[in-house]
Amino acid sequence: MKARKLKKTKTQTKVIAVSSALVTVGVIGTATAFGTGTEEPRRIEAHGTQLSVPVDGGRATVDLTSLAVRARADDGRTWQLSAPAAGDLGAPGKVSIHEGKASWRYRDRGLTVTASAQDGRLAVTVRSARQSSLTWPVSGTDRTTEELQVPRGEGLSIPVADRWWNSASAGLAGNGADMAEGLTMPFWGTSQSGQHGASYIVESDIGTTLKFVSAGGRLHTEAEHEFAPRQATGNYTVTFALTDGSPVAAARDYRAWLQGHGGITTLRQKIARNPEVAKLVGAFHAYTWGQARTAEGVRRLRELGIDRMWLGYDADGNPMDRKATRLAQQAGYLVGPYDSWANAQDPASADTSVSAWPAPVWQDACVRRADGTLVTGFGGRGCYVSSEALRRAEPSRHYLADRTKEMTANGATSYFLDVDAAGELFTDHSPAHPMTKAQDRRNRLARMAWLSGDRRLVLGSESAGSWANGVLSFSHGSGTPVDDRLWKLEKDRKTWGGYAPYNAPAVYFKPVRLPADLAKTMYDPRYRVPLYQTVLHDSVISTERWELSWSKLPDQSRTRALLAMLYNVPLNLVLDQDELDRHGKEIAQAQRYFEPLHKAAATQPMTDFRWLTDDHLVQRTTFGKGVLTVTANFSTTSHDGLPAGCVDAVVNGGARHRLCPTGL
């Protein structure tokens, strides 16, 4: 296993056509496109240099000279959705409106723009056949903007005027996130004062970076898209929606967008296809070491009263044997190996079995740069393997089929495939197997679909992007809003721990105290919001990263337990004999509390999240139509009868169930 930064998505847009006649005017003219039906016409209107587009809850106006976008809500409230695009666009050409779409060109920049109303949103597509870039939209600059929501891991809601978040200490301002790899979902949101807000969805996430900028003591975002003909990123589509300003409103909008584009496969559907998936419901997740991956370790878990677990094991040459696997399955557990198809090394010197591939994979299947050099693999070892090279070889060489068969020879019915659902996406310049990033993602989706479909394995991957929800049942890492400084800390083996001793590597078991700034960006509950759960709770079971087990970070152990119960997601653990000796009772207590809540709501969407106090330290979630309600108190004082450091859950309107986890 390995720690790394990553993340994703791309889905094609369905166009909603509105009947109209073709009208072509100059930017000083006026044109309208009328809808059909008995309700009040919804129309696009061009007035001089302004294009007005109807959206749910109001209208959006695009300034043709700069691509600045302004919102006007039905209640009369106005604010800026985007400041002008960076740089001079040049004079806009004539506007034509046809079938509900307005189109115009910026000839000097080689850009063609189309704007339309789609499913209640403003949709704007910018096209370029040139190698160029565009910085737009520039959002959050309006003085009424109060919070910025970003799906970094599970999700953050950041007060834009907060002095600390604008400082270098927070590690955000001045940095950016690749929307196909650095975020779990390709959207962001803003909350304005007065119960207004906006949602921004980037359909063409590959080639797009979301930058975080501090100006005048306030944060805002700037999206930059690279138009690259060889990468097939010549189309750049962004949708804008007006929201009620809730901290999860943008996530609700993105969920609705996914549903409208066939992009969510539910756990119910996955269980119907493969009943083994149901064993995830109510289960904590754990990677096992030493005795914990033996039959005796399974018996010990059962003696603690734990009757739901996902048990994984590292690729260290000592997998869980058939006897232990069979006993675990009889206990209602899932068992699965860790594997990775991303790295290749010479089998004679490979430092891990998952990197050992037969010839000629480790010589010929590497990703290559434009100059022909190999792309070195993670941690400077071997090379990254081209998914296209493996795809082309599979029909005759069966590398993936043979490998999977070997990895599940003990009877395992689950599988964890590192990296595939998170990125990192590659361009391969090898003449033997050329590949764009978009093709890389299609290859990964196809092989994950084969594992979870044809092979009927309960599949998980790392920090799964929303684009992979249809082929996965669980994700390790999407629950962690990783600050890039974590990777630097993990490289400090003296502080973080290394890969010794063999049966309990310190990298997983050694307790670590995070630096204060890093702890704040990742785990301060005032800034954590369940964006991932709002979108995908009923589709993908999400946990934190495997190297951040519950006991790895003792200072955050109580907060993380409360967050897990509040979001209705499992804790991720590492287990050996000593860990069960030290924390077995606490693990069992938390799992027994979690199991009935997860059984009630795992297949339900998260339908509400709210802060109950002004300091954001008392929070409530709701799943389904009141199937489960959970209230967590992260503060140091009681609130409405709920003690500090405790969580209350109510299933189907019944009695309250309380957990007050102790620190580890």
Side-chain angles (χ1 to χ4, degrees):
M1 293 177 290
K2 56 188 190 300
R4 57 180 308 137
K5 48 185 174 181
L6 303 166
K7 286 90 180 162
K8 15 296 162 217
T9 71
K10 179 167 180 175
T11 314
Q12 294 298 319
T13 309
K14 174 181 66 178
V15 176
I16 306 299
V18 180
S19 297
S20 72
L22 174 64
V23 183
T24 303
V25 298
V27 295
I28 59 171
T30 300
T32 62
F34 293 90
T36 60
T38 57
E39 60 185 30
E40 180 183 348
R42 304 289 285 173
R43 59 181 182 252
I44 295 177
E45 301 174 345
H47 301 285
T49 61
Q50 305 295 303
L51 181 74
S52 178
V53 180
V55 296
D56 285 350
R59 298 188 74 87
T61 301
V62 182
D63 184 335
L64 302 178
T65 65
S66 67
L67 283 182
V69 185
R70 193 157 189 87
R72 182 179 182 85
D74 287 338
D75 63 4
R77 176 70 175 276
T78 65
W79 72 96
Q80 194 168 54
L81 292 174
S82 174
D88 184 12
L89 295 174
K94 292 182 178 180
V95 177
S96 66
I97 297 180
H98 179 59
E99 294 185 342
K101 295 181 184 178
S103 299
W104 66 98
R105 294 190 64 194
Y106 300 101
R107 190 175 298 276
D108 293 347
R109 292 281 297 271
L111 303 175
T112 300
V113 185
T114 301
S116 61
Q118 293 184 11
D119 298 330
R121 304 176 184 88
L122 164 65
V124 179
T125 297
V126 184
R127 298 178 177 86
S128 177
R130 302 177 185 175
Q131 184 76 35
S132 60
S133 65
L134 175 67
T135 298
W136 177 87
V138 177
S139 60
T141 58
D142 194 286
R143 300 299 293 183
T144 64
T145 304
E146 295 181 338
E147 302 262 342
L148 165 68
Q149 292 86 33
V150 184
R152 189 163 78 176
E154 178 59 59
L156 297 171
S157 187
I158 300 165
V160 299
D162 183 274
R163 181 177 298 177
W164 184 82
W165 278 105
N166 279 272
S167 72
S169 298
L172 186 68
N175 294 311
D178 187 308
M179 296 208 70
E181 301 170 11
L183 300 176
T184 49
M185 298 170 286
F187 73 87
W188 69 96
T190 59
S191 296
Q192 317 298 127
S193 58
Q195 294 185 324
H196 290 85
S199 165
Y200 306 80
I201 299 171
V202 176
E203 299 178 12
S204 41
D205 60 328
I206 293 177
T208 306
T209 300
L210 187 65
K211 298 179 178 180
F212 305 98
V213 180
S214 177
R218 293 175 60 85
L219 281 170
H220 70 268
T221 61
E222 298 179 359
E224 181 179 38
H225 183 77
E226 293 288 335
F227 299 99
R230 291 186 178 181
Q231 283 295 328
T233 59
N235 289 353
Y236 175 43
T237 300
V238 182
T239 70
F240 303 73
L242 308 188
T243 72
D244 63 4
S246 159
V248 295
R252 289 182 186 139
D253 180 54
Y254 180 61
R255 176 180 170 88
W257 185 91
L258 274 181
Q259 289 174 319
H261 294 76
I264 294 181
T265 304
T266 67
L267 279 170
R268 289 185 186 273
Q269 293 170 307
K270 295 168 187 176
I271 291 169
R273 290 199 302 250
N274 181 4
E276 283 287 293
V277 174
K279 291 182 179 178
L280 289 172
V281 177
F284 277 6
H285 294 226
Y287 283 94
T288 56
W289 305 82
Q291 186 205 50
R293 69 172 63 162
T294 66
E296 178 57 34
V298 174
R299 292 190 190 97
R300 183 144 186 221
L301 290 171
R302 292 293 294 124
E303 290 169 358
L304 286 167
I306 298 174
D307 62 4
R308 282 288 187 276
M309 286 291 287
W310 179 90
L311 298 176
Y313 46 89
D314 204 1
D316 57 4
N318 184 31
M320 186 174 284
D321 62 28
R322 183 171 288 275
K323 179 181 178 182
T325 300
R326 184 169 57 251
L327 186 63
Q329 291 170 340
Q330 291 171 351
Y333 299 174
L334 279 170
V335 171
Y338 166 93
D339 196 6
S340 175
W341 298 348
N343 187 268
Q345 301 177 44
D346 183 343
S349 57
D351 55 11
T352 172
S353 61
V354 299
S355 294
W357 293 83
V361 173
W362 63 275
Q363 301 104 324
D364 299 339
C366 299
V367 174
R368 292 186 179 271
R369 301 182 183 90
D371 63 4
T373 58
L374 301 181
V375 177
T376 305
F378 178 77
R381 301 166 296 156
C383 72
Y384 278 109
V385 181
S386 170
S387 66
E388 180 66 8
L390 291 179
R391 184 190 71 82
R392 295 184 181 199
E394 190 63 18
S396 60
R397 303 301 295 268
H398 313 303
Y399 294 125
L400 304 184
D402 291 347
R403 186 184 184 98
T404 307
K405 183 178 179 181
E406 178 184 358
M407 297 289 280
T408 58
N410 60 354
T413 59
S414 186
Y415 213 85
F416 180 83
L417 185 62
D418 194 15
V419 177
D420 261 35
E424 176 181 1
L425 300 174
F426 290 101
T427 300
D428 187 358
H429 294 275
S430 168
H433 37 78
M435 175 180 72
T436 64
K437 289 185 176 182
Q439 182 62 50
D440 190 12
R441 185 151 67 186
R442 289 193 293 269
N443 292 341
R444 294 169 189 232
L445 277 170
R447 65 197 197 183
M448 287 189 287
W450 171 74
L451 284 169
S452 60
D454 295 0
R455 291 304 306 268
R456 294 177 63 81
L457 292 166
V458 181
L459 184 63
S461 189
E462 174 191 2
S463 302
S466 53
W467 53 268
N469 81 83
V471 296
L472 297 174
S473 293
F474 65 96
S475 168
H476 290 168
S478 48
T480 308
V482 171
D483 184 313
D484 284 352
R485 291 170 293 186
L486 177 67
W487 315 126
K488 182 178 180 180
L489 180 62
E490 290 186 0
K491 291 179 181 178
D492 179 0
R493 296 304 188 198
K494 183 177 180 180
T495 301
W496 192 263
Y499 286 91
Y502 172 76
N503 280 336
V507 68
Y508 303 117
F509 288 93
K510 180 184 178 181
V512 171
R513 284 184 158 75
L514 295 177
D517 288 334
L518 184 56
K520 187 172 182 177
T521 63
M522 291 177 62
Y523 290 113
D524 192 322
R526 292 175 295 175
Y527 311 116
R528 292 283 299 261
V529 289
L531 303 182
Y532 197 88
Q533 297 311 310
T534 297
V535 178
L536 293 175
H537 182 267
D538 58 343
S539 175
V540 177
I541 293 174
S542 170
T543 75
E544 290 213 61
R545 298 183 61 82
W546 54 84
E547 81 275 17
L548 300 178
S549 68
W550 189 24
S551 59
K552 180 71 177 179
L553 308 175
D555 290 349
Q556 286 75 40
S557 60
R558 177 178 291 179
T559 293
R560 295 169 76 195
L562 292 178
L563 284 168
M565 302 307 150
L566 181 68
Y567 295 171
N568 196 231
V569 297
L571 288 168
N572 207 353
L573 319 166
V574 291
L575 298 178
D576 70 346
Q577 182 174 345
D578 289 343
E579 181 73 4
L580 287 174
D581 288 342
R582 291 192 300 268
H583 303 307
K585 291 182 180 179
E586 292 87 353
I587 291 170
Q589 179 192 32
Q591 192 278 329
R592 288 195 298 268
Y593 179 83
F594 171 75
E595 184 176 343
L597 309 185
H598 204 225
K599 285 182 175 178
T603 60
Q604 299 288 326
M606 179 183 280
T607 49
D608 192 34
F609 168 80
R610 62 187 61 193
W611 294 307
L612 301 185
T613 56
D614 291 340
D615 61 8
H616 296 183
L617 290 177
V618 183
Q619 303 174 13
R620 177 170 292 161
T621 54
T622 303
F623 301 85
K625 296 180 179 179
V627 170
L628 174 67
T629 301
V630 185
T631 307
N633 185 351
F634 298 97
S635 74
T636 57
T637 59
S638 63
H639 173 81
D640 197 22
L642 179 61
C646 296
V647 60
D648 272 351
V650 176
V651 177
N652 290 319
R656 290 186 301 174
H657 301 272
R658 178 167 295 171
L659 177 69
C660 299
T662 58
L664 298 181

